[in-house]
Amino acid sequence: MRAEERQHRILALVRQSGRVEVADAAVEFGVSRETLRRDLSELERRGLVRRTHGAAYPVESAGFETTLARRETQQVAEKRRIAAAAAQLVGEAETVFVDEGYTPELVAMQLPTDRPLTVITASLRTASLVSASESTTVLLAGGRVRARTQATVGSWARDMVARFVIDLAFLGANGVSREHGLTTPDPAVADVKAQAVRSSRRKVLVGVHNKFGASSFCKFAEVSDLDTIVTDAGLSAPEAHRYSLLGPQVLRV
């Protein structure tokens, strides 16, 4: 099998599985681990995968994005720890924006219910979850619903968020890098996220470590726009420090 064909099949496997181990993939494709690493290095150079500690993850792009259902099955323990730590940052905030995505949804599930709180979101699932609390007022942004993420996008959603001055935003991203900032595959999604950044006094990014160093298609914020990043310990301490030099506090949990 030629290297180009093998790399194409490796990419398909990474995107289908959400993660591949170097050792397992080398056996599956009948090549040495060194050859497999070279293939992954080439795919990473082309911005298609992100390598980390003997494994590789897909990079979400204009032509590829994982579904919400898939995200619910990947790195769940890490995402729950991130969400629990992020929820502790609410403090005295009375208005909170919760982004689309599984990790922000987990944050929403841990927001305080013992006092009045207004939650603004574009996520249908988050709106449904937090509306169960009588002390929580939910403002759901209108617009076109994306089937892949079950969230609204478009000018209606963006313009509604623009009308508010929000105490705190919990944001997700498909890619985070010091060079390209916070990115996501869809321009319509990026518009809503960018407006949430502009409308919020405090901004907290929540995301697992393999999002870092990756870049997707549409930029919606700079790392320096953030107040806090909450991620897992898979992001090395030196790398976390490099991000903190751009402004935000970085919490590894």
Side-chain angles (χ1 to χ4, degrees):
M1 184 186 302
R2 293 184 306 156
E4 183 178 346
E5 179 184 354
R6 186 174 60 249
Q7 289 163 14
H8 178 76
R9 292 177 61 181
I10 291 170
L11 177 61
L13 178 63
V14 175
R15 287 179 167 178
Q16 179 182 3
S17 304
R19 169 190 168 100
V20 296
E21 298 283 346
V22 169
D24 295 340
V27 171
E28 179 166 345
F29 289 98
V31 296
S32 68
R33 295 186 184 185
E34 186 58 35
T35 297
L36 201 287
R37 290 190 188 98
R38 285 198 297 269
D39 287 336
L40 290 176
S41 293
E42 174 60 21
L43 292 172
E44 185 174 47
R45 185 190 67 79
R46 290 156 53 191
L48 298 172
V49 304
R50 173 75 171 132
R51 296 177 62 199
T52 174
H53 305 304
Y57 298 86
V59 171
E60 301 189 358
S61 63
F64 170 74
E65 184 180 2
T66 55
T67 64
L68 197 56
R70 169 69 70 179
R71 296 174 198 177
E72 292 176 332
T73 67
Q74 297 172 342
Q75 299 167 281
V76 176
E78 292 91 337
K79 291 174 181 177
R80 291 189 182 279
R81 290 200 306 272
I82 290 167
Q88 297 300 311
L89 302 175
V90 172
E92 300 304 314
E94 297 178 350
T95 55
V96 177
F97 175 84
V98 179
D99 204 355
E100 64 169 59
Y102 183 56
T103 307
E105 180 182 306
L106 292 175
V107 177
M109 293 172 65
Q110 301 197 48
L111 292 175
T113 58
D114 58 349
R115 63 176 177 85
L117 186 70
T118 297
V119 173
I120 305 98
T121 187
S123 167
L124 274 64
R125 294 191 359 165
T126 292
S128 178
L129 287 168
V130 299
S131 64
S133 169
E134 293 185 359
S135 62
T136 303
T137 299
V138 180
L139 301 178
L140 176 62
R144 174 174 62 87
V145 177
R146 294 182 79 228
R148 186 170 294 274
T149 57
Q150 288 295 291
T152 57
V153 295
S155 59
W156 287 350
R158 181 198 63 217
D159 292 348
M160 179 175 173
V161 175
R163 294 170 60 187
F164 303 122
V165 178
I166 302 168
D167 293 330
L168 172 63
F170 290 110
L171 301 159
N174 300 76
V176 187
S177 74
R178 296 191 301 278
E179 180 182 5
H180 298 296
L182 281 61
T183 52
T184 195
D186 191 313
V189 175
D191 276 351
V192 178
K193 289 176 179 284
Q195 185 57 61
V197 171
R198 290 190 293 268
S199 295
S200 301
R201 292 189 174 100
R202 285 195 293 144
K203 281 79 69 174
V204 176
L205 175 72
V206 292
V208 289
H209 71 276
N210 51 286
K211 299 287 184 75
F212 291 81
S215 297
S216 191
F217 180 50
C218 301
K219 179 177 180 177
F220 64 88
E222 300 282 0
V223 173
S224 58
D225 291 328
L226 301 171
D227 295 279
T228 308
I229 294 172
V230 187
T231 187
D232 61 270
L235 184 70
S236 70
E239 188 67 1
H241 177 66
R242 295 184 190 102
Y243 279 94
S244 71
L245 293 176
L246 297 177
Q249 178 187 24
V250 181
L251 303 178
R252 299 162 61 244
V253 298

